Amino acid sequence: MEFTTNPLYIIAMLASVLVISDWLSKKAFFKKFGIALLVIIVTAVLANIGLVPTSSNLTYDGIFEYIAPGSLFLLLLNVNLGQLKKIGFPILFAFILGSIGTVLGILVAAFVIKDNASFEGVYNALAGMFAGTYTGGSINFNAVALHYEVVDKGTIYTSAVAVDNVVTTLWFFLTIAIPVFLQRFIPRSKLMRSEQEGLEAQQGHPPTDESETLTITSISLLIGISCFTLFISDFLTQLLEQWGFVIPSILILTTIALLLAQISFVSKIKGNMLLGSWGVYLFLAVVGAYCDFAALASAGSLALTLLIFVSITVLVHGIFIFGTNLLLKYDWELIAIASQANVGGGTTALALAKNFKRNELILPSIIIGSIGNALGTYIGFMVAAYL
């Protein structure tokens, strides 16, 4: 069905997914899932029955390149920097623990799944790819893959991508469910959340407001400012690279957003939460679309072997990060968001924070996601070299 690759068709289908998910999230049975999880599930179903593409295309690439970072920028415009010092260290420490858990997971997986001929000599590179991506997201996955030329081995690379997408999606489900389960049996206080809500109430800013009124002026300002900031961030990144400094554009984007958020005129523009949320959910729809079970099935035993390897890695990561919290006694949602920053990256961590209605954790989730982008590549290469 060639029409499924038409950008107009894809956007129409993804918009429909958001409508359906929003409608379902208001129903009694589905309310506990949250709209973020429903978006992923609905799109995954549509993708696996062939109604939307399961592979990269110009529309999906555009959403990753422009919509996702633009949405991140918009959501940051309400950030109160005064709260970062209260919540920055716990989530950063949890993120570091999660990174350690990922490396331990790779080592356990390597002990269980040995190198063999089916890996075609890139076993160590694959381990490094998964170590990198489950430290800070897919950027690290591709960095290691390109260096070791895994991308030239079509079946292996495609299988690795499919496994990564499926496991990442499943882990998003689990990071929503696990905190609910653990909170029931091992309750943890959410003082950081209540402190933030109280402060915002005093300042006249509701903690969560996605029903803000949009006007022609507000929507034009928000889109214009976000697009211009994206342009400036990319330009500065390229300029700094020419001078020998490698700084990801997402860090520059975050810095500019935080500076603008402290300007009263900018922070008072209505509609940023609504537009930002829409963009994040659109991004999650693409994440769901990449959950291609058919690709796994077609790859046969290789995909199954990789699936076992990756499942062990993420399982050990999860046991380690949630297990160590029995001693740390941070709240479970914070731990889940830190874990999601490891496994899925900053944008999915941000989406999880929104799903939990933890707006005070949006900025920390983005920051640790950015740290993961940098740290993951180093860890990926170290693991590949070690194995």
Side-chain angles (χ1 to χ4, degrees), residues 157-229:
Y157 180 73
T158 302
S159 299
V161 170
V163 167
D164 177 35
N165 288 330
V166 169
V167 172
T168 299
T169 302
L170 292 176
W171 190 246
F172 189 87
F173 298 169
L174 289 173
T175 48
I176 290 177
I178 291 173
V180 175
F181 174 81
L182 291 175
Q183 183 67 17
R184 181 176 300 174
F185 295 99
I186 312 174
R188 291 284 189 262
S189 173
K190 301 179 186 178
L191 291 177
M192 290 181 292
R193 177 181 176 183
S194 59
E195 287 174 3
Q196 174 73 358
E197 290 175 342
L199 180 63
E200 288 174 334
Q202 293 173 10
Q203 295 176 340
H205 300 299
T208 305
D209 184 7
E210 293 182 6
S211 59
E212 302 163 315
T213 300
L214 282 168
T215 64
I216 292 177
T217 297
S218 65
I219 194 171
S220 299
L221 283 171
L222 290 171
I223 292 176
I225 293 172
S226 60
C227 288
F228 187 69
T229 305

Side-chain angles (χ1 to χ4, degrees), residues 49-71:
I49 62 177
L51 291 181
V52 294
T54 56
S55 58
S56 179
N57 56 70
L58 289 176
T59 306
Y60 290 171
D61 294 345
I63 290 172
F64 275 112
E65 187 173 356
Y66 301 112
I67 301 297
S71 301

Side-chain angles (χ1 to χ4, degrees), residues 188-380:
R188 291 284 189 262
S189 173
K190 301 179 186 178
L191 291 177
M192 290 181 292
R193 177 181 176 183
S194 59
E195 287 174 3
Q196 174 73 358
E197 290 175 342
L199 180 63
E200 288 174 334
Q202 293 173 10
Q203 295 176 340
H205 300 299
T208 305
D209 184 7
E210 293 182 6
S211 59
E212 302 163 315
T213 300
L214 282 168
T215 64
I216 292 177
T217 297
S218 65
I219 194 171
S220 299
L221 283 171
L222 290 171
I223 292 176
I225 293 172
S226 60
C227 288
F228 187 69
T229 305
L230 283 169
F231 168 76
I232 291 296
S233 300
D234 290 340
F235 173 77
L236 290 177
T237 297
Q238 295 172 13
L239 183 63
L240 289 170
E241 283 182 359
Q242 294 176 5
W243 294 346
F245 300 98
V246 180
I247 300 177
S249 63
I250 196 68
L251 292 180
I252 298 175
L253 180 76
T254 300
T255 302
I256 296 174
L258 293 177
L259 292 174
L260 290 175
Q262 312 314 306
I263 302 174
S264 178
F265 168 75
V266 176
S267 64
K268 288 181 179 179
I269 301 174
K270 297 296 182 182
N272 64 300
M273 293 299 291
L274 177 61
L275 281 178
S277 298
W278 178 83
V280 167
Y281 297 143
L282 198 66
F283 163 81
L284 290 179
V286 178
V287 172
Y290 281 149
C291 189
D292 187 359
F293 292 105
L296 283 180
S298 64
S301 61
L302 174 62
L304 179 60
T305 302
L306 288 174
L307 184 60
I308 295 172
F309 187 100
V310 171
S311 297
I312 292 172
T313 299
V314 175
L315 179 62
V316 172
H317 158 88
I319 292 173
F320 186 81
I321 190 172
F322 283 101
T324 52
N325 193 49
L326 293 172
L327 298 176
L328 294 174
K329 298 183 179 181
Y330 296 155
D331 76 78
W332 297 115
E333 291 178 352
L334 181 147
I335 296 297
I337 292 167
S339 174
Q340 189 54 229
N342 283 132
V343 175
T347 308
T348 53
L350 178 155
L352 190 61
K354 284 191 61 58
N355 195 74
F356 289 143
K357 295 181 172 60
R358 299 293 297 271
N359 281 11
E360 80 278 13
L361 293 177
I362 285 179
L363 175 59
S365 70
I366 294 169
I367 290 175
I368 60 176
S370 298
I371 293 172
N373 285 338
L375 183 64
T377 299
Y378 291 107
I379 289 179

